[in-house]
Amino acid sequence: MEVIRAKRAGACYGVQRALDMADEVIADGGRAYTLGPLIHNPQVVADLAARGAEAVSSVEEIRWEGAAAAGAPADGVVPTNANAPAVVIRSHGVTPQVLAAVEDRGFSVVDATCPHVSRAQHAAAELAAEGCRVIVVGEAGHPEVEGLTAWAEEAGGKVDVVAAPEEIPEGLYDPVGVVAQTTQRRENLEAVVAALREAGLAPIVKNTICSATRQRQEAAADLASAVDAMVVIGGRNSSNTTRLAEVCALTCPRTFHIESADELDPAAFAGCRRVGVTAGASTPENQIAAVEAFLRTL
């Protein structure tokens, strides 16, 4: 059975940058925390925790043994001159309120926010500052979308999150600004913008979709149309990996979204002559290689 990897697959620049920054903190030997999972890959997050970078859901969860000696209050707040733990801001970014809370507690801040996400945050804030009603095209509840929403609201804007054209609220009027979650499909952004225009609006559109996301989706679609089965590797909590699986399934019904090679069932590939492999932007090379190696044994 021939195993073919998509031309674009695996960890993107923003993810690799975040991993490298976390690795540097760990290598320095200091205590480190990440606010939420650094990236949407459970195996990588578990490895970081084992090596000293623990994921916490809020700043309040961080407790430092040296806080009392440094003169910090019992609730764990650390003065700015203390040798405090490092808090790594995850690649999806955080809200301005969370960032302020980290800084107010005096922790050492390592901002691993993906530069593309930072650009989207700034775009949302700029639209809001210009008086636009901001439409965020993305998944409600996703950490990146929560951040985009909060940055726009911090700039004084009113924000609506829509996943599809049918979720656009009624009664909108210009000026309306549009940004997108960086891992959205371009077709979805275009459909929302088209619906706004059909409603008589003239939206100001900031296309904040990451080029790496688009490239991976296009490469995956090309490969999926030429193979008998597709394997998509990445966290099930990863938005961009989920999108990849959806794109592949459109032309290759035998598409499998997995997190590791352990999930592969040899029987699922019976009769396959060519199998394609792709991976989300939060999937490191070693996980892709393990899956390819397993498939080549079939």
Side-chain angles (χ1 to χ4, degrees), residues 35 59 87 89 97-109:
L35 286 176
V59 182
V87 175
I89 304 301
Q97 294 80 10
V98 168
L99 188 58
V102 175
E103 294 172 344
D104 288 346
R105 282 169 163 72
F107 294 119
S108 173
V109 179

Side-chain angles (χ1 to χ4, degrees), residues 19-231:
L19 291 173
D20 290 344
M21 293 174 77
D23 283 340
E24 287 179 10
V25 173
I26 294 170
D28 287 341
R31 186 63 179 161
Y33 297 87
T34 68
L35 286 176
L38 183 69
I39 62 174
H40 278 164
N41 185 300
Q43 290 76 23
V44 170
V45 171
D47 175 67
L48 287 171
R51 293 191 292 120
E54 178 186 353
V56 295
S57 59
S58 69
V59 182
E60 290 72 25
E61 289 184 34
I62 300 175
R63 294 293 181 266
W64 179 44
E65 295 81 0
D75 66 358
V77 175
V78 181
T80 56
N81 60 352
N83 184 22
V87 175
V88 184
I89 304 301
R90 62 188 171 190
S91 59
H92 299 96
V94 294
T95 68
Q97 294 80 10
V98 168
L99 188 58
V102 175
E103 294 172 344
D104 288 346
R105 282 169 163 72
F107 294 119
S108 173
V109 179
V110 179
D111 191 354
T113 304
C114 171
H116 292 290
V117 174
S118 295
R119 181 171 66 89
Q121 291 172 344
H122 293 150
E126 288 173 2
L127 288 170
E130 293 168 2
C132 292
R133 174 80 165 260
V134 179
I135 303 294
V136 177
V137 181
E139 302 169 34
H142 188 283
E144 181 189 329
V145 173
E146 290 179 345
L148 294 177
T149 299
W151 283 96
E153 290 175 342
E154 179 80 358
K158 180 172 175 54
V159 185
D160 297 287
V161 176
V162 304
E166 54 268 24
E167 295 184 9
I168 296 173
E170 297 181 357
L172 293 180
Y173 52 86
D174 287 325
V176 171
V178 180
V179 296
Q181 181 181 356
T182 57
T183 54
Q184 280 289 297
R185 294 179 61 195
R186 180 184 59 194
E187 292 81 2
N188 196 39
L189 172 62
E190 291 173 348
V192 170
V193 172
L196 290 169
R197 288 173 175 155
E198 289 172 4
L201 299 166
I204 302 170
V205 182
K206 303 287 188 180
N207 184 353
T208 52
I209 295 175
C210 172
S211 59
T213 296
R214 184 183 68 253
Q215 291 167 355
R216 280 158 179 73
Q217 290 175 354
E218 291 174 349
D222 288 343
L223 181 56
S225 65
V227 296
D228 303 306
M230 279 293 297
V231 177

